[in-house]
Amino acid sequence: MTRARFPALLLAVCAVLLGLPGTAEAAGYRYWSFWEGGPGGWTYATEGPGTARPADGDVDGYRFAVSADSRDAARPRRAPDFEAVCGTASAVDGTKRVAVVIDFGTAADAPAHDARPPAPRAACARVRADATAAEALAAVAKPLRYDDRALLCAIAGYPRTGCGEQVATTPGGPTPAGPASPPPAARPVTDPGPGPSVGVAAGVAAVAVLGAAGVWQARRRRR
């Protein structure tokens, strides 16, 4: 490889890894994200609903959308208002009331076989006092569908198929880009902890490529 060709190749590789404009389509994942409601609005949950245990009066939210990671994940479009959802449900000893807001997303984020997502909905789940957020969801939004990795694939039967598949984000909307895979950066709702950011992973890869380039150039100079 000539010295002139190597920098061009290096630039192309780094552009793909870092997602520079005009070099590659941005990759995202189509999945359900999990949110916790509060006075300031929606906050991306720090743990999955399988381990989160909401208190009486809490609001849980779920949003189906395409996003690259938790930093750009779409929030539920309905405000987290416990009284609006559970205001008529009285407190009962040994149980708790959890308002569950479910946003099925937009047609732009829907899989091709589910081009018309259901309208957003909200329901008041009354569950035992130690129930998890997942149990509160199951109380009001069956059928739920999980894959063999315990990734939540569907709420209230939506979408009918697919689970956390990777898509390419294009100006015309999301399009399939690869096989089904759980979105590690965005933390799907059953993942109890954060995974490495897509940006961080790309940065590490780019640093490795740049390091290799430095070694190659040093060897060229010693020849």
Side-chain angles (χ1 to χ4, degrees):
M1 182 181 297
T2 66
R3 183 175 302 181
R5 291 176 58 191
F6 184 82
L9 176 60
L10 175 61
L11 179 60
V13 171
C14 291
V16 171
L17 291 171
L18 298 177
L20 296 180
T23 59
E25 296 175 330
Y29 293 88
R30 181 181 286 119
Y31 71 102
W32 283 100
S33 57
F34 176 44
W35 301 81
E36 295 172 341
W42 293 108
T43 301
Y44 204 96
T46 57
E47 59 182 317
T51 56
R53 297 183 187 276
D56 182 71
D58 282 353
V59 184
D60 289 342
Y62 298 84
R63 174 66 189 267
F64 188 76
V66 173
S67 62
D69 56 37
S70 59
R71 291 169 296 183
D72 75 344
R75 293 172 172 80
R77 289 169 291 177
R78 175 171 178 164
D81 187 340
F82 177 80
E83 289 300 323
V85 180
C86 292
T88 60
S90 58
V92 176
D93 289 344
T95 69
K96 60 185 176 185
R97 300 157 299 166
V98 181
V100 180
V101 175
I102 305 168
D103 190 333
F104 297 89
T106 67
D109 291 324
H113 54 270
D114 284 300
R116 189 172 297 175
R121 67 174 74 168
C124 187
R126 185 186 295 279
V127 290
R128 67 181 191 278
D130 65 344
T132 64
E135 290 171 314
L137 176 65
V140 298
K142 291 181 178 178
L144 305 180
R145 177 168 56 85
Y146 292 86
D147 71 0
D148 56 6
R149 299 159 295 184
L151 177 67
L152 180 61
C153 304
I155 296 177
Y158 183 85
R160 289 175 293 163
T161 62
C163 194
E165 61 268 22
Q166 188 178 25
V167 298
T169 303
T170 65
T175 57
S181 174
R187 300 199 314 275
V189 298
T190 52
D191 186 352
S197 165
V198 169
V200 171
V204 170
V207 169
V209 171
L210 291 172
V215 171
W216 182 85
Q217 292 283 14
R219 288 178 177 176
R220 292 278 301 181
R221 287 193 294 267
R222 286 198 296 266
R223 290 178 182 174

